[in-house]
Amino acid sequence: MKGKNLRRSGGRPHLCRVKHLGRNYLAHRLGRLVDGLVHISLLQLVFIFVLLAIPVFLIASSHQAGKRPAGSAAASQSAQRQSLATDFPQHPYQGSPPELPQDQGAPGLRLMLRRLATTARLMQTVAHPDDEDGGMLTLESRGRGASVLLMTLNRGEGGQNKIGSNLSDVLGVLRTLELLAADQYYGVQERFSRVADFGFSKSADETFSKWGGHDVALGDMVRVIRTFHPDVLVARFSGTERDGHGHHQASSILTKEAFRAAADPKRFPEQIAQGLEPWQAKKLYIGNVCGFGAMTCPDANWTVKLNTGESSADLGVSYVQFAMQGLRHQLSQGSANWTVDPGDRFTFYKLADSIEPAKLDKDGHEKDFLAGIDTTLPGLAARLGAEESKVPRLRQELAETANKVAQAAEIAKGNDPAASAAPLMGIVAGLERLHEDINKSTLGAASKSDLLRRLEEKRSQAETALNLALNVSLSAGVVPRAEPKGEIQKEAETLTTVSPGQEFLVAVDFNNGSKQQLFVNALKLEVPEGWPTISDKTKPVAIKPGDNVHVVFRLKVPKNAKYTRPYWHRDDPETESLNQIDDEKYVTLPFPPAVLQARVEYSIGRVDGAKGQSQGKNVIGASVVAPFVDDAGTERARPLAVVPAYSVALEPGTQVISTHNGSSSTVAVGVTGDLSHDSRGVLRLELPDGWRSDPAQFAVELAQRGQKHDFTFKVFPAGLQEGRAKVRAVLEADGEKFSEGYTLVTREDLGSFYYYQPAVQHVSIVDVGVPHDLKVGYIMGAGDDIPTVLKQVGMNVTLIPAEKLGTEELGGYATIVLGIRAYDTQKDVAANNKTLLDFVAAGGTLVVQYNTGVGDFNSGHFTPYSSELSRARVSVEEAPVEILAPDDGVFHYPNEITGHDFDGWVQERGLYFMDKWDDHFKPLLACHDPGEDAQKGGLLRTQYGKGTYIYTGYAFFRQLPAGVPGAVRLYVNLLSAGHEKQ
């Protein structure tokens, strides 16, 4: 895959609740450890790493390490606790963005204490990435400490990409990464359903028809509610036509249904059979009650009014401004320059349903979503009702915990936040005891499950807060050798990925940044199911303030290790609107968890188990990352990933063959190896019956990891008739077959993940006549694959860089095409518009495709005669099309166009049609969505001087790469307009 979004670079990953040191830490530690090593024998510290995972080097650094950011994440201590962590997912997932300074040090400690003080849980539902009310989410999560979850129904894979050419499922991966970066600012967890973004929809009915009815997305939403246990559900949209997009409407409609359905054990009983309990949220709110961005709203329209423009001392800006910093990471949505001015910024929601009568003021309003709900720690006891008698000390112990939290929070506001460690030790120990007591109690299954989950979350927050207060930190990184070295390798030399059978080393560093002596009771590396188990037995070791413990593990990836890949896929993204789930245990997560986790259990003040009174114990975890230096010399890291030993990528993914000149075509196959040793294999093509390739096969030899060889096959089709076919590339090596490629999706401001694509070329055989002597110049806009298809069918196409438009001699071209959104994205196109119109006046043909900047386009007066671009679109791809000017040459040369040429289109007819135009323009086509008036501004033609000017909003950028025959024929005709044979 190529494009702006698929560069081999990435930011330091922030892995959910797992805190890491600064990005320079590993290099700093590995360099300075050489200076003063104090060796400790394996018997003193390291547990036995059974079988393939053996600690090979252990040292303690006795020098003073300087102040570093603290971090923590508690890992499970029992099978039950692991289960609870899955139900209340706190484990890190891949693809997370760089860590924020507001989550570290004293600000991070204060945030964690705010969260620890409340049991409030809020869940917002939206349709796409960038729909979310970021200001509200940030206010509730960071300002008020609530645990907040954002459920985004789809990943935005059907949208436009405003910074590159990547579309469809790879765009979905990119937008997931962008949303995770934004979520980091909001301070929320993220979940998705399995429905896909199939493009713009004008109604909820069409949306549900594409999504297989209500129950597919509803089931996923109910699952999230039953695992997250929100007190309040907040729909971003109203569920009415006011929401515009059909997906928006559907998201609110589903939320209203899920509010009650999640509490009904008869709905989605398979979830109950899997161990989930019904859950009834207490209140449901809907949004978009006054219009997006409205600063005023009639009192009758809203119940809750929040000022997200409120300033936060820890954030340094208002909540909505901080949220906007996160939203700006969604660059593929065009968010780069979005801003919010300081000052009040209101958001409004209306109470739509409630289990108990709402406690409204005289005007019918509430102060907050959680108004009337006891979200204090002692309130957990009150939730039990009559069952509270089964745990008689619960309320008192929770009250004591709440007092300690308040004490720690007050200390954290002062000049010595580290002093809050003392009450936090008691909080961690107390929550541990409570957890054990509740687990042993006779509480009913549902009550016990919910209470344990909430206590588990509080314990995790307390552990994180304690690690922040103590300024302890843990990092785990892939290293090239056991002995510490000072230099981090370049990316090409770093094992950012490993494959089955491969051996590698992981260095784990635990730093005591506190002023107290700590004792490591256990240090382990947690591995996926199916990998060798790891003993957690180790003798305690004392660590003085400022000291470091360094352990290196040797691992070997099992032959059956699962790859780091999306857990969902679509076989045919052009026609399927539902994702298939490949691994149910990850369903609704953004991505699967990180592959490896390091974990340390430590005691404060003495060795755990020794005589005397312990001040407390705690845990800290970190995901294993691969640190490297990018091409610019910047130190970065990304989570370690497991990938196939070979990536087999077939280019192009779509081949359009003309029946008139398709006697042969070429298929390029790139094979990249991930193994560190020499490897050999045989590469072949699997072809339709009667087809052949030259050569029949290639011998593949790769000498080192990361090496790539490209192979070109000449393919000879047989019996060419209009239709579809597939060509698959298969590499046989080491007794296995490899037939898919993987690509890193990342950006400097994002985390990273891998996109997999079958090594398959979808061949569309099209009966299309082509004027081979017609010279076409194509000026790319935001990016599309139309020129590739044109060349495949035999057109003479040259790409003209936009920056050369002012100096390029256009007279040598018969037709110039502006790629999608050219005026939006290429300032040189707008600046040289007169040059383009002069080209038309001199006898050339100019084809202009859609732009989204309606205001800028209209004010620029780019068309030769007056016209007005609009946001009108036809979203139903099957919408009937009427040919308005059947005698126009566009429908006759070089191909005869009929109504059947509009069969089989994908996703949409078109977008950003003209809605007004001068009489010089002639509309050529008309179509419309159900129940709407005909849209005639999607294809306009006019004569200007000696030449032809054409504007089209029809979605050729989707149709041609999909190999839609009629669209290919019509597009060739558009390029030939004005050059018809007389």
Side-chain angles (χ1 to χ4, degrees):
M1 303 292 298
K2 295 181 180 180
K4 294 182 180 178
N5 309 317
L6 302 179
R7 297 196 295 271
R8 292 197 59 82
S9 61
R12 179 71 171 176
H14 170 66
L15 298 166
C16 198
R17 295 183 182 275
V18 177
K19 308 281 185 173
H20 289 282
L21 298 175
R23 61 177 50 148
N24 296 325
Y25 171 69
L26 193 55
H28 175 77
R29 294 306 305 163
L30 292 179
R32 293 191 63 186
L33 282 172
V34 177
D35 300 333
L37 305 181
V38 178
H39 293 273
I40 299 178
S41 72
L42 293 177
L43 292 177
Q44 287 179 304
L45 178 61
V46 182
F47 53 85
I48 299 175
F49 191 168
V50 181
L51 298 177
L52 299 175
I54 304 175
V56 297
F57 191 69
L58 172 62
I59 57 176
S61 171
S62 60
H63 62 269
Q64 184 68 26
K67 185 174 181 181
R68 293 183 176 82
S72 72
S76 54
Q77 292 184 343
S78 65
Q80 181 182 33
R81 189 170 178 187
Q82 289 174 349
S83 174
L84 289 173
T86 302
D87 290 342
F88 264 170
Q90 307 295 332
H91 53 69
Y93 36 70
Q94 295 235 353
S96 297
E99 190 174 20
L100 300 176
Q102 290 82 357
D103 292 329
Q104 306 174 51
L109 172 60
R110 289 190 287 269
L111 171 61
M112 202 53 58
L113 288 168
R114 279 194 295 276
R115 290 178 175 165
L116 187 54
T118 178
T119 63
R121 304 184 72 77
L122 182 148
M123 172 177 163
Q124 178 163 64
T125 58
V126 300
H128 317 95
D130 95 345
D131 287 345
E132 64 275 2
D133 187 349
M136 180 276 288
L137 296 173
T138 307
L139 173 65
E140 293 293 339
S141 172
R142 292 184 174 275
R144 299 176 179 175
S147 293
V148 181
L149 182 143
L150 173 63
M151 184 171 189
T152 308
L153 290 186
N154 62 59
R155 298 171 188 261
E157 54 269 82
Q160 305 164 53
N161 185 351
K162 297 190 176 181
I163 59 170
S165 60
N166 302 302
L167 297 172
S168 193
D169 287 352
V170 67
L171 178 60
V173 173
L174 173 66
R175 287 196 167 164
T176 300
L177 292 169
E178 290 181 332
L179 181 55
L180 292 179
D183 287 342
Q184 186 65 30
Y185 285 77
Y186 310 150
V188 304
Q189 300 182 48
E190 181 64 52
R191 298 293 180 269
F192 293 91
S193 79
R194 71 192 70 201
V195 300
D197 180 355
F198 56 82
F200 189 84
S201 173
K202 293 183 179 178
S203 72
D205 288 342
E206 184 202 12
T207 296
F208 286 126
S209 69
K210 294 279 190 179
W211 286 350
H214 289 229
D215 278 6
V216 176
L218 179 62
D220 286 337
M221 190 177 290
V222 166
R223 178 181 293 276
V224 172
I225 293 171
R226 287 173 174 174
T227 54
F228 183 64
H229 288 198
D231 297 310
V232 173
L233 275 180
V234 182
R236 181 69 168 103
F237 299 101
S238 65
T240 67
E241 292 183 359
R242 184 170 60 246
D243 301 329
H245 202 314
H247 298 181
H248 296 170
Q249 300 175 45
S251 69
S252 186
I253 292 169
L254 291 169
T255 306
K256 295 172 186 177
E257 296 175 8
F259 179 71
R260 299 282 179 173
D264 184 354
K266 295 180 181 179
R267 299 300 308 274
F268 308 103
E270 70 279 2
Q271 298 178 8
I272 306 300
Q274 293 167 0
L276 294 180
E277 297 283 351
W279 180 255
Q280 180 62 69
K282 293 176 174 60
K283 293 193 286 185
L284 165 69
Y285 294 84
I286 61 172
N288 194 23
V289 292
C290 304
F292 289 111
M295 290 290 286
T296 60
C297 185
D299 283 353
N301 286 19
W302 61 273
T303 311
V304 171
K305 173 184 177 181
L306 301 174
N307 186 3
T308 61
E310 176 186 334
S311 182
S312 165
D314 280 338
L315 300 181
V317 291
S318 71
Y319 293 102
V320 69
Q321 287 178 307
F322 194 70
M324 186 58 70
Q325 293 179 27
L327 187 62
R328 283 202 294 268
H329 288 280
Q330 301 192 45
L331 296 179
S332 69
Q333 311 267 23
S335 65
N337 297 316
W338 295 353
T339 59
V340 176
D341 293 331
D344 291 344
R345 186 82 175 189
F346 296 108
T347 186
F348 301 89
Y349 289 88
K350 187 174 183 63
L351 183 66
D353 201 352
S354 180
I355 297 305
E356 298 178 356
K359 298 178 180 179
L360 309 177
D361 63 20
K362 61 182 179 60
D363 297 319
H365 298 155
E366 297 174 298
K367 291 184 178 180
D368 187 65
F369 295 120
L370 282 303
I373 300 174
D374 188 351
T375 60
T376 64
L377 288 174
L380 290 178
R383 289 171 183 257
L384 298 176
E387 283 198 288
E388 185 180 348
S389 61
K390 297 179 180 179
V391 280
R393 288 187 47 80
L394 177 62
R395 185 181 292 265
Q396 178 183 344
E397 293 189 20
L398 287 172
E400 293 174 356
T401 299
N403 289 334
K404 291 177 182 177
V405 172
Q407 179 186 353
E410 190 63 31
I411 296 172
K413 296 177 183 178
N415 297 325
D416 186 16
S420 63
L424 279 167
M425 293 176 198
I427 293 170
V428 171
L431 288 171
E432 180 76 27
R433 290 192 304 271
L434 266 181
H435 192 278
E436 294 174 358
D437 291 345
I438 299 303
N439 195 39
K440 296 174 183 177
S441 72
T442 59
L443 286 172
S447 298
K448 178 184 287 189
S449 173
D450 179 58
L451 184 54
L452 285 175
R453 286 169 172 170
R454 292 177 185 271
L455 289 176
E456 171 66 19
E457 181 184 52
K458 294 298 111 180
R459 180 167 59 181
S460 175
Q461 292 169 349
E463 290 167 344
T464 299
L466 180 54
N467 286 324
L468 287 165
L470 291 172
N471 194 29
V472 299
S473 54
L474 181 69
S475 67
V478 177
V479 292
R481 57 189 63 85
E483 298 79 12
K485 298 293 181 183
E487 293 186 3
I488 298 180
Q489 294 179 308
K490 293 183 178 179
E491 184 176 5
E493 302 166 350
T494 301
L495 284 178
T496 56
T497 60
V498 291
S499 298
Q502 195 164 7
E503 293 186 359
F504 64 100
L505 302 176
V506 172
V508 179
D509 287 89
F510 175 69
N511 177 257
N512 178 9
S514 75
K515 300 176 182 179
Q516 305 185 51
Q517 182 169 252
L518 303 180
F519 295 84
V520 171
N521 302 317
L523 189 154
K524 65 185 296 186
L525 206 58
E526 296 177 330
V527 298
E529 182 180 356
W531 288 46
T533 57
I534 302 172
S535 169
D536 59 359
K537 296 178 181 179
T538 180
K539 291 186 177 180
V541 171
I543 311 175
K544 296 178 181 179
D547 279 4
N548 186 75
V549 169
H550 177 83
V551 183
V552 174
F553 298 95
R554 182 181 299 277
L555 297 95
K556 185 175 182 181
V557 185
K559 282 289 186 183
N560 62 347
K562 291 187 175 182
Y563 300 141
T564 303
R565 63 185 305 158
Y567 63 83
W568 71 93
H569 80 280
R570 290 187 290 174
D571 291 328
D572 186 0
E574 301 293 350
T575 60
E576 297 174 2
S577 299
L578 295 175
N579 286 297
Q580 300 179 42
I581 303 300
D582 302 317
D583 197 331
E584 286 287 342
K585 68 174 174 286
Y586 301 136
V587 68
T588 77
L589 288 179
F591 296 115
V595 180
L596 300 174
Q597 296 283 317
R599 178 168 170 267
V600 168
E601 299 174 10
Y602 67 92
S603 298
I604 301 124
R606 71 165 178 81
V607 177
D608 187 34
K611 294 181 179 180
Q613 186 64 35
S614 172
Q615 293 184 45
K617 59 181 180 179
N618 205 23
V619 297
I620 184 170
S623 295
V624 174
V625 301
F628 62 90
V629 176
D630 65 17
D631 293 338
T634 303
E635 294 177 10
R636 302 189 183 277
R638 70 173 58 102
L640 179 69
V642 178
V643 299
Y646 303 94
S647 174
V648 182
L650 189 152
E651 293 288 346
T654 299
Q655 178 81 30
V656 180
I657 298 177
S658 169
T659 58
H660 296 271
N661 65 339
S663 59
S664 67
S665 64
T666 59
V667 173
V669 182
V671 178
T672 306
D674 193 60
L675 300 178
S676 301
H677 55 76
D678 293 353
S679 55
R680 292 176 175 79
V682 176
L683 180 67
R684 300 184 180 88
L685 296 182
E686 293 181 353
L687 299 166
D689 290 342
W691 293 30
R692 65 182 179 87
S693 70
D694 183 23
Q697 64 184 44
F698 279 103
V700 178
E701 295 185 10
L702 299 173
Q704 59 188 15
R705 179 182 176 275
Q707 187 174 18
K708 179 185 178 183
H709 285 170
D710 294 313
F711 305 90
T712 300
F713 292 88
K714 195 167 187 179
V715 175
F716 299 89
L720 285 180
Q721 294 182 347
E722 191 161 289
R724 300 275 182 170
K726 288 184 179 180
V727 174
R728 181 184 300 272
V730 179
L731 173 70
E732 294 188 34
D734 301 324
E736 297 184 56
K737 292 185 177 181
F738 300 86
S739 187
E740 62 180 352
Y742 54 88
T743 307
L744 175 67
V745 183
T746 191
R747 207 170 58 215
E748 285 85 352
D749 62 314
L750 303 178
S752 59
F753 202 67
Y754 291 83
Y755 174 69
Y756 284 69
Q757 205 166 20
V760 171
Q761 183 180 84
H762 297 273
V763 181
S764 180
I765 305 166
V766 179
D767 182 1
V768 55
V770 171
H772 298 288
D773 56 348
L774 189 76
K775 188 172 182 181
V776 178
Y778 202 99
I779 302 172
M780 197 65 72
D784 59 68
D785 294 323
I786 290 176
T788 299
V789 176
L790 294 176
K791 292 178 181 179
Q792 289 173 353
V793 298
M795 301 241 8
N796 181 1
V797 180
T798 301
L799 290 178
I800 303 175
E803 59 271 20
K804 292 186 178 181
L805 184 55
T807 57
E808 183 83 4
E809 176 53 54
L810 301 183
Y813 298 96
T815 298
I816 298 293
V817 184
L818 300 186
I820 61 171
R821 303 186 60 247
Y823 287 103
D824 293 340
T825 61
Q826 306 292 345
K827 65 179 185 294
D828 292 294
V829 172
N832 290 282
N833 189 65
K834 185 179 184 301
T835 300
L836 293 170
L837 294 182
D838 289 345
F839 164 78
V840 178
T845 296
L846 177 66
V847 178
V848 178
Q849 300 179 96
Y850 86 94
N851 287 267
T852 62
V854 173
D856 290 340
F857 186 89
N858 290 335
S859 63
H861 304 291
F862 297 126
T863 56
Y865 304 107
S866 64
S867 64
E868 286 191 15
L869 184 64
S870 75
R871 299 184 183 278
R873 65 198 303 161
V874 179
S875 60
V876 177
E877 62 268 35
E878 303 92 354
V881 178
E882 179 185 2
I883 297 177
L884 298 176
D887 294 332
D888 194 283
V890 159
F891 302 114
H892 301 285
Y893 176 77
N895 302 283
E896 287 293 327
I897 302 299
T898 71
H900 292 298
D901 286 299
F902 299 96
D903 295 340
W905 283 43
V906 298
Q907 186 158 320
E908 59 194 341
R909 284 296 187 202
L911 62 171
Y912 294 91
F913 286 8
M914 296 285 187
D915 65 353
K916 294 180 182 179
W917 52 87
D918 185 276
D919 289 341
H920 285 87
F921 284 104
K922 177 170 60 173
L924 301 179
L925 296 175
C927 62
H928 61 87
D929 282 324
E932 297 186 355
D933 294 335
Q935 298 285 348
K936 299 181 180 181
L939 183 59
L940 302 178
R941 175 178 181 172
T942 186
Q943 189 78 15
Y944 182 66
K946 298 179 181 180
T948 299
Y949 180 98
I950 292 175
Y951 174 82
T952 178
Y954 281 85
F956 292 106
F957 74 103
R958 296 193 190 278
Q959 314 310 320
L960 266 66
V964 178
V968 174
R969 284 190 285 268
L970 178 56
Y971 200 86
V972 169
N973 283 17
L974 294 180
L975 304 189
S976 306
H979 309 291
E980 296 91 341
K981 292 182 178 179
Q982 302 299 318

